[in-house]
Amino acid sequence: MKNLVQIALSLAVIAASQGVVAQTFPAKPVTIVVPYSAGGPVDNLSRSLGIRLTKEWGQPVLVLNKTGANEIIGAELVAKSPADGYTLFAATEAALTMNPHLYKKLPYNPEKDFAPISRLITVPMVFLVPQNSKANTLKEFVQLAHNAKDKPMSYGSSGAGGIVHLPLAMFAKQEHLEMVHVPYKGAAPLIPDIISGQVDSAILGVSVVEQHVKSGKMKALAISGDSRSVALPDVPTFKEAGVKDINGAFNIGLVAPAGTPSAVVDKIASDVRKILMDPDFRRTQIDAYSYVAIGSTPAEYRSFLAQDFKVQAERVKISGATLD
């Protein structure tokens, strides 16, 4: 009985101390590590969140760009940082659920080294073909690809083993298509080759290609997701197009080093969600870029990552991709 009382008292002390930590957090500047250079979706979202969190917390929230190695450099830095909530990581599937299947060795363990805070946004992805393609629907594209025996059709991606490559590898597998993968160093050099017809297809984020689709430079045949995009309302979902969805999306989330007090994690998640759901922030920083706001709880984000870990394992296996 005495031991049980001691345990209960210890738990009460821990809970009380965590509550005090959460009430006083943050007491100094907070850094969000971004694994990409300035100007991209992860950087832009992190900076706009940082501005609002600075007002909310009364402490500077700074963005530190640590680019390279498929998010590994940024991930390692955060994984080895103090677990106090003052160093956060704005990460995507690359660091959290894909790299373990693409690399034999990593300097961090995504399942053990991070405390999930919130899945911030998801970016729907669009299946694209050149304007001069004979395919006007996704089913027509599948049929054309089936008939292209002598010269298999191609699909471009922004890099082997990346968020763009793996869903298309899954698409080819699902539809029993023989297609040639053409990797590029990012979306910027890929887009002109879609427009000119150098590649037969690709899948990219709505915000990246919206202007090109609306100007008629390329055709959008379907969007991956449960509903149509506000930015491209005439583009059907995969399901509406009569083809199994490849669940192609680009997710940005926020994590902290493992061991960060749960009360601090919960506070950050709650404050971030409040910002994401603010009508003005959504209009200028979410809807304006065709993102979909999520603002999940830490538990919801942990569950999402666990499920996505399995999804990415299957995709990497099907694609045969490796980044070692």
Side-chain angles (χ1 to χ4, degrees):
M1 177 65 73
K2 184 177 180 181
N3 288 340
L4 290 176
V5 171
Q6 289 177 331
I7 292 171
L9 287 173
S10 297
L11 291 174
V13 170
I14 292 171
S17 64
Q18 284 212 359
V20 171
V21 169
Q23 288 174 8
T24 59
F25 178 89
K28 60 182 181 180
V30 175
T31 297
I32 300 177
V33 175
V34 171
Y36 296 98
S37 57
V42 183
D43 181 79
N44 289 341
L45 180 66
S46 298
R47 290 182 186 278
S48 57
L49 269 177
I51 291 170
R52 291 292 296 269
L53 285 171
T54 295
K55 294 179 180 179
E56 178 74 21
W57 291 341
Q59 290 287 350
V61 178
L62 312 171
V63 168
L64 175 63
N65 299 94
K66 285 292 182 179
T67 64
N70 213 35
E71 302 188 15
I72 291 175
I73 294 173
E76 182 181 12
L77 173 63
V78 177
K80 295 178 178 178
S81 295
D84 54 13
Y86 288 96
T87 304
L88 309 176
F89 186 34
T92 75
E93 293 90 339
L96 301 178
T97 60
M98 293 170 64
N99 281 347
H101 311 297
L102 293 166
Y103 295 88
K104 292 179 181 178
K105 289 185 67 176
L106 286 173
Y108 68 96
N109 185 316
E111 294 181 284
K112 296 180 179 180
D113 290 345
F114 299 117
I117 296 175
S118 180
R119 180 160 69 115
L120 304 175
I121 66 165
T122 185
V123 183
M125 303 186 87
V126 187
F127 191 95
L128 305 155
V129 296
Q131 183 57 36
N132 63 1
S133 172
K134 294 180 181 178
N136 292 306
T137 67
L138 193 55
K139 276 200 166 183
E140 288 179 1
F141 179 87
V142 170
Q143 191 58 53
L144 286 171
H146 274 302
N147 295 338
K149 304 293 184 183
D150 298 331
K151 186 182 178 183
M153 297 181 76
S154 61
Y155 66 89
S157 81
S158 54
I163 295 168
V164 173
H165 172 208
L166 299 183
L168 276 175
M170 179 70 77
F171 171 75
K173 176 75 172 180
Q174 287 177 179
E175 301 302 322
H176 310 288
L177 305 177
E178 292 291 335
M179 297 184 69
V180 177
H181 174 222
V182 184
Y184 289 75
K185 292 183 178 180
L190 169 58
I191 289 174
D193 279 6
I194 302 171
I195 293 173
S196 66
Q198 294 297 310
V199 290
D200 297 310
S201 62
I203 184 167
L204 290 170
V206 174
S207 59
V208 177
V209 299
E210 177 186 349
Q211 59 178 321
H212 302 298
V213 173
K214 288 182 174 179
S215 68
K217 292 180 179 179
M218 58 177 72
K219 291 189 284 190
L221 302 187
I223 188 166
S224 182
D226 296 329
S227 60
R228 297 192 181 197
S229 167
V230 174
L232 299 173
D234 295 331
V235 181
T237 64
F238 270 70
K239 187 178 293 185
E240 289 174 330
V243 177
K244 184 178 179 181
D245 194 1
I246 56 175
N247 297 312
F250 175 63
N251 293 278
I252 301 174
L254 202 62
V255 301
T260 299
S262 59
V264 171
V265 169
D266 290 341
K267 173 178 173 54
I268 297 171
S270 176
D271 291 346
V272 164
R273 177 176 174 79
K274 182 167 66 173
I275 293 170
L276 289 171
M277 297 303 152
D278 175 75
D280 182 62
F281 188 87
R282 291 191 67 167
R283 179 179 58 81
T284 60
Q285 306 300 327
I286 304 295
D287 297 342
Y289 298 99
S290 303
Y291 302 156
V292 177
I294 303 295
S296 68
T297 66
E300 289 169 341
Y301 191 26
R302 184 178 296 278
S303 177
F304 170 82
L305 291 173
Q307 180 59 36
D308 196 58
F309 190 88
K310 298 175 184 177
V311 170
Q312 302 302 345
E314 182 182 6
R315 289 178 172 177
V316 171
K317 183 179 180 180
I318 287 172
S319 72
T322 178
L323 297 181
D324 278 307

